[in-house]
Amino acid sequence: MTVLELRDVHRVHGSGETAVHALRGITLAVEPGELVAVMGPSGSGKSTLLNLAGGLDRPSQGSVHVDGVDLSGLGRRALATVRRQRVGYVFQDLNLLASLTAAENVALPLELDGVAARKARALAASALSEVDLDGYASRFPDEMSGGQQQRVAIARALIGKRRLILADEPTGALDSQTGEAVLRLIRSKVDDGAAGVLVTHDARHAAWADRVVFLRDGVVVDTAGPLDQPDELLAPGGAR
Ligand code: ADP
Ligand code: MG
């Protein structure tokens, strides 16, 4: 079943003279096992699209469906449950809770879903290990570097059986090696059957996707199949 479907989605931010028509009729479907990259200039509507896909924002017109459920039919509580159980969201800003340790931050979505604390902590520990943060479980965010914090946020987004992975320039604060590890992680989650949407301005990152959608002024202006394989692009002399 299609995991994410946007049907003729419009989003107007604000109203009156200052209204911004951020999205103007976006139609997009993302299937299980598919990673779609979204590229486009600053202000073209990429983050707005991702927020709508994750149920963090509602369209002004059109509809957003996750696992066949029309999000516009859901109240706040039901929407929060969908977000927590099905959507893994890697934000541009990290949104780690400062008063929680790395492991507690990662375990939080599971605990909110009623997973027993001990089990949630064990899953969090292995998720931290997947992003190379063994030994950091009891550190607080302000005791970690920006790149480490970002990896905690990614572990939190990927924990549990998320059907939809949404990432908004997830490698922003990371060095290129760690950034690549994060993309590899997203790719493997998608290969395991999730659907993914990756906003990026870097063609090397978009090369991890099966399909690239180009946005400009809130409309899709072009789509492309997979870009050159990442291995080719990352190999010495392989960059374009
Ligand atoms: P991108 O992520 O591609 O840079 P955004 O989706 O953040 O683009 O923004 C698209 C347009 O909508 C921009 O013109 C931006 O200024 C505007 N916009 C985004 N969020 C808001 C908001 N909350 N209120 C008003 N305008 C907004
Ligand atoms: Mg953005």
Side-chain angles (χ1 to χ4, degrees):
M1 182 198 272
T2 303
V3 179
L4 173 66
E5 201 179 348
L6 275 65
R7 293 187 196 157
D8 193 25
V9 164
H10 291 248
R11 178 66 170 105
V12 180
H13 293 297
S15 61
E17 285 188 1
T18 57
V20 178
H21 210 144
L23 297 179
R24 304 165 182 264
I26 301 286
T27 294
L28 176 71
V30 189
E31 306 295 331
E34 190 180 31
L35 179 61
V36 173
V38 177
M39 303 188 79
S42 179
S44 58
K46 305 183 297 296
S47 295
T48 299
L49 188 159
L50 226 56
N51 288 339
L52 289 165
L56 295 167
D57 187 15
R58 292 183 186 271
S60 311
Q61 195 187 308
S63 58
V64 177
H65 307 250
V66 174
D67 276 340
V69 175
D70 183 349
L71 299 187
S72 67
L74 302 180
R76 275 172 57 186
R77 216 168 275 277
L79 196 56
T81 303
V82 167
R83 281 204 304 264
R84 213 164 53 230
Q85 294 180 343
R86 306 196 195 197
V87 184
Y89 201 118
V90 186
F91 291 90
Q92 242 160 356
D93 49 3
L94 303 164
N95 282 305
L96 295 180
L97 299 177
S99 59
L100 299 184
T101 64
E104 287 166 346
N105 265 289
V106 174
L108 188 62
L110 297 179
E111 291 192 35
L112 289 171
D113 270 338
V115 174
R118 173 179 282 211
K119 186 177 179 201
R121 295 297 163 81
L123 290 169
S126 70
L128 285 170
S129 166
E130 276 190 76
V131 292
D132 275 335
L133 286 176
D134 301 278
Y136 287 82
S138 41
R139 297 247 192 138
F140 289 94
D142 67 2
E143 298 168 339
M144 309 176 85
S145 72
Q148 290 167 340
Q149 290 180 37
Q150 194 145 13
R151 279 183 280 155
V152 174
I154 284 152
R156 184 185 54 189
L158 300 182
I159 200 169
K161 296 196 192 316
R162 310 299 178 85
R163 290 269 294 158
L164 178 60
I165 307 296
L166 303 172
D168 199 343
E169 308 204 14
T171 59
L174 303 176
D175 61 71
S176 62
Q177 206 173 351
T178 317
E180 199 199 328
V182 164
L183 294 169
R184 214 178 275 285
L185 215 57
I186 292 173
R187 183 71 246 184
S188 78
K189 197 83 183 172
V190 168
D191 289 341
D192 285 346
V197 182
L198 166 70
V199 168
T200 180
H201 54 261
D202 188 332
R204 282 171 304 179
H205 296 166
W208 289 83
D210 302 296
R211 189 149 58 93
V212 187
V213 168
F214 296 92
L215 277 191
R216 175 177 294 236
D217 296 332
V219 295
V220 175
V221 290
D222 199 8
T223 58
L227 300 182
D228 288 346
Q229 286 307 299
D231 290 347
E232 285 169 37
L233 275 165
L234 293 171
R240 285 174 295 187

